[in-house]
Amino acid sequence: TAQDGPMYEGKAKRVYKTDDDGIYMVSYKDDATAFNGQKRGTISGKGIVNNQMSNLFFQLLEQNGVPTHFVKELNERETLVRALTMLPVEVVIRNLAAGSMAARLGLEEGMPLSRPIVEYYYKRDDLGDPLVTVDHIEVLGMATPEDLAQVQRLALRVNEVLSETLRKVDVILVDFKLEFGKTKDGRIVLADEISPDTCRYWDANTKEKLDKDRFRRDLGGVEDAYAEMMRRVKEVTRL
Ligand code: C5P
């Protein structure tokens, strides 16, 4: 059972301690923010989609050799996860140029990349999560070279599994963000969430955006896009 108030409250989730030291409970909210908290809103039903989609993907990834924090879905919005010491980096994997990479480098959104690109961002709200290199991470002690090599290996494996899976339901996985943590015995484990908040999903036929860019860019149809992605992910993880 979850105890007291949240141990941590983020923009989209609360994390609670439980009576088991090794287990936390995550509760997903409908609150949405973008541009480092400058844009705020609510996406009705988002917490349910993000909880259920993350859990389906985590179970699929476990079956494909990627260790994850997933333990047990409790209800529509709440899940038990393994307690981890989080690495202070966000890992972004890109298959097509979009978003901040397209803007920074002056590329057209949707430009294909000859191989997936891995980027790292230092998790520091007060600095706006700056892009960092492998050297920054290693020299500043955000992660050891061994841990970072494992993070990169797992991130690319996640990309293979999810890209191939989503392709079967006519979704292009354009890019996405992952976070990793470490167990007491030193194993790197995939954590956080994998949802329309943290991925770019494009319909393979119409190129329609089915993710949080609809909220970020005021495109409308946000709830419908989340619901449509949930439907497709349920369909493909049943196959
Ligand atoms: O904004 P940018 O193009 O760098 O985002 C790359 C990917 O990482 C997108 O799929 C976006 O949803 C995700 N992301 C995220 N959390 C952040 C920054 C980016 O989930 N803080």
Side-chain angles (χ1 to χ4, degrees):
T1 52
Q3 297 166 342
D4 313 322
M7 176 191 73
Y8 163 85
E9 176 150 9
K11 295 155 201 156
K13 298 191 285 299
R14 297 187 185 94
V15 183
Y16 296 85
K17 289 192 167 183
T18 69
D19 46 27
D20 181 339
D21 261 6
I23 305 281
Y24 290 158
M25 191 193 79
V26 183
S27 178
Y28 285 77
K29 304 187 279 187
D30 286 351
D31 300 346
T33 65
F35 312 117
N36 198 27
Q38 292 177 68
K39 181 183 173 79
R40 285 164 192 279
T42 308
I43 301 174
S44 178
K46 170 172 88 82
I48 297 172
V49 168
N50 289 9
N51 183 44
Q52 294 180 343
M53 189 180 297
S54 294
N55 292 343
L56 288 172
F57 281 150
F58 285 143
Q59 290 169 88
L60 174 73
L61 289 164
E62 291 273 358
Q63 289 164 16
N64 285 275
V66 177
T68 80
H69 74 169
F70 176 79
V71 174
K72 183 174 191 269
E73 189 169 291
L74 294 179
N75 57 55
E76 280 184 329
R77 290 180 183 272
E78 295 176 333
T79 294
L80 296 178
V81 301
R82 295 165 70 178
L84 300 169
T85 303
M86 296 301 293
L87 301 182
V89 290
E90 298 188 342
V91 183
V92 169
I93 297 85
R94 301 182 186 273
N95 296 303
L96 303 177
S100 71
M101 177 184 164
R104 183 185 310 114
L105 301 178
L107 305 172
E108 192 180 333
E109 281 217 308
M111 192 190 86
L113 304 173
S114 61
R115 60 183 171 85
I117 284 178
V118 182
E119 294 175 348
Y120 302 98
Y121 294 85
Y122 180 33
K123 272 174 74 77
R124 274 283 296 266
D125 279 343
D126 59 330
L127 300 176
D129 296 342
L131 181 68
V132 289
T133 68
V134 169
D135 271 353
H136 290 122
I137 293 170
E138 294 179 1
V139 172
L140 300 178
M142 299 167 200
T144 65
E146 295 71 30
D147 287 348
L148 195 55
Q150 177 68 350
V151 162
Q152 188 203 29
R153 198 183 71 76
L154 291 174
L156 290 170
R157 180 66 186 147
V158 170
N159 186 41
E160 287 174 356
V161 173
L162 296 189
S163 292
E164 188 184 312
T165 299
L166 287 166
R167 201 68 189 78
K168 294 177 188 159
V169 279
D170 292 336
V171 173
I172 300 170
L173 181 59
V174 174
D175 56 34
F176 59 100
K177 185 264 297 180
L178 300 175
E179 297 189 31
F180 292 87
K182 232 177 148 172
T183 62
K184 283 209 176 76
D185 51 342
R187 295 216 317 145
I188 297 288
V189 172
L190 179 63
D192 196 55
E193 66 178 278
I194 306 176
S195 72
D197 274 12
T198 65
C199 301
R200 285 195 173 92
Y201 301 130
W202 290 358
D203 183 279
N205 303 308
T206 65
K207 302 288 147 67
E208 186 189 1
K209 297 184 198 323
L210 297 170
D211 56 60
K212 195 178 171 187
D213 271 349
R214 302 204 73 85
F215 169 78
R216 296 187 187 102
R217 303 180 188 189
D218 295 319
L219 299 176
V222 185
E223 280 89 357
D224 286 350
Y226 278 62
E228 174 61 17
M229 275 307 303
M230 188 71 256
R231 192 191 67 70
R232 294 195 203 186
V233 170
K234 278 182 176 161
E235 181 187 321
V236 74
T237 51
R238 257 196 277 110
L239 297 177

